[in-house]
Amino acid sequence: MSVSDYTETEGLPAADRKPYKPWSYDSANAKLYIPRLVAGQDRWFAAALSDQKGKAPSRLGVFAEQPQHKRWELVSVVDLDGQKLPDIALDRDGYATAVAADGNKQLAVGADLLRTGVLDNFATGGANSGTKVFAPTKASKQQIEVHDKTGTRYGNQGTTVFAGAANRHKDAYALKTTDGGALILFSHTHTQTDAVAHSGLQINPGKDDRAWLHDVPRTSITYTFVCNDAATVPAKAEPSRLIGYTCARTDASGPPVASWSDRA
């Protein structure tokens, strides 16, 4: 359970809390991609994980050494939703090749531009850079669908606006693929702001919002999401492919309606 999941669950009455079922994976079936690193480089590896023996990987995780904690930690997890992983280039000893995720002239784009494309998928439905950076895939279509459906759900009673937000998780990881491109794993943070169209209207928080917003009606609510993304990037100037992403809400806030403000 993530910190955000725990926070959300704590906001629910005991009767509404679902029993926690930790996600587990078959370690014998895990496929590890361990880069051959030189002295001074950060130590990390990627793992394709399956929750069922003999089944294709359903998640892609990155484990990184955290010297300050004196341990290895899972720092990124992406749900693949049935998407096939690219073939990772391995040397004769079975080691993968780590490459620069940004500033790499051997790749069509880097993590920064991928992040910009993902944020545009949410913010505009891909109208500016999203559909230029990414070829259509299940994952990129889902992000555009979030923009299209969520942005119109209030009709003329309210608005929804997506935007990029300060991103604390700027680490990106890249492995060379057999076609000369790379598999890049990165993170992004975005917000979703719902607002009423005019005075006299209010947004009533749902039960899953209670941890952050309690039961106080609001005139607007800004949700913050932290997400992990995975994309395959070609070596030549062609669109990349978003093969998976996973988001979690980490905050929500907004001004109460006037009647609640007066009570306070």
Side-chain angles (χ1 to χ4, degrees):
M1 177 181 286
S2 68
V3 173
S4 58
D5 290 335
Y6 179 80
T7 302
E8 186 175 308
T9 299
E10 282 291 288
L12 296 172
D16 291 342
R17 298 178 188 176
K18 296 179 181 179
Y20 172 57
K21 294 181 180 180
W23 188 85
S24 60
Y25 57 88
D26 177 23
S27 58
N29 200 40
K31 185 154 188 176
L32 305 182
Y33 299 103
I34 303 174
R36 188 188 290 279
L37 302 171
V38 299
Q41 282 186 297
D42 293 335
R43 299 176 66 194
W44 64 276
F45 66 89
L49 307 171
S50 175
D51 57 353
Q52 296 184 45
K53 187 176 182 179
K55 295 293 185 179
S58 55
R59 288 182 172 177
L60 184 63
V62 173
F63 294 81
E65 186 180 35
Q66 306 294 322
Q68 70 274 31
H69 300 152
K70 297 182 179 180
R71 66 187 182 193
W72 287 76
E73 295 180 358
L74 180 63
V75 297
S76 174
V77 179
V78 176
D79 291 314
L80 296 173
D81 290 327
Q83 297 297 301
K84 183 181 178 182
L85 285 173
D87 293 325
I88 304 299
L90 305 176
D91 65 20
R92 60 184 180 182
D93 295 320
Y95 285 97
T97 300
V99 296
D102 268 312
N104 190 334
K105 295 182 179 180
Q106 304 302 314
L107 299 176
V109 296
D112 283 346
L113 191 53
L114 294 173
R115 190 177 292 111
T116 298
V118 164
L119 290 171
D120 186 62
N121 282 345
F122 285 105
T124 73
N128 293 331
S129 62
T131 52
K132 297 180 179 66
V133 172
F134 296 111
T137 63
K138 181 179 179 180
S140 59
K141 288 178 181 177
Q142 284 176 334
Q143 292 178 344
I144 292 171
E145 186 175 336
V146 169
H147 166 270
D148 293 345
K149 288 189 174 181
T150 306
T152 57
R153 62 180 175 157
Y154 290 124
N156 62 2
Q157 301 297 300
T159 60
T160 295
V161 176
F162 291 91
N167 181 31
R168 295 189 305 135
H169 309 284
K170 298 179 180 179
D171 294 342
Y173 305 88
L175 294 172
K176 185 177 181 180
T177 52
T178 55
D179 60 3
L183 169 65
I184 299 183
L185 299 104
F186 59 100
S187 300
H188 81 270
T189 301
H190 72 261
T191 58
Q192 171 191 326
T193 300
D194 297 343
V196 298
H198 54 79
S199 61
L201 298 176
Q202 65 185 41
I203 300 174
N204 297 317
K207 67 177 184 178
D208 293 334
D209 304 323
R210 189 174 288 120
W212 293 281
L213 304 170
H214 308 288
D215 291 315
V216 179
R218 314 278 171 159
T219 55
S220 69
I221 300 173
T222 296
Y223 302 96
T224 301
F225 297 89
V226 174
C227 311
N228 295 322
D229 309 87
T232 57
V233 177
K236 50 189 176 181
E238 292 180 353
S240 300
R241 295 176 57 82
L242 189 70
I243 63 171
Y245 76 99
T246 301
C247 290
R249 179 175 44 189
T250 58
D251 193 19
S253 62
V257 296
S259 57
W260 282 82
S261 299
D262 294 341
R263 292 184 203 178

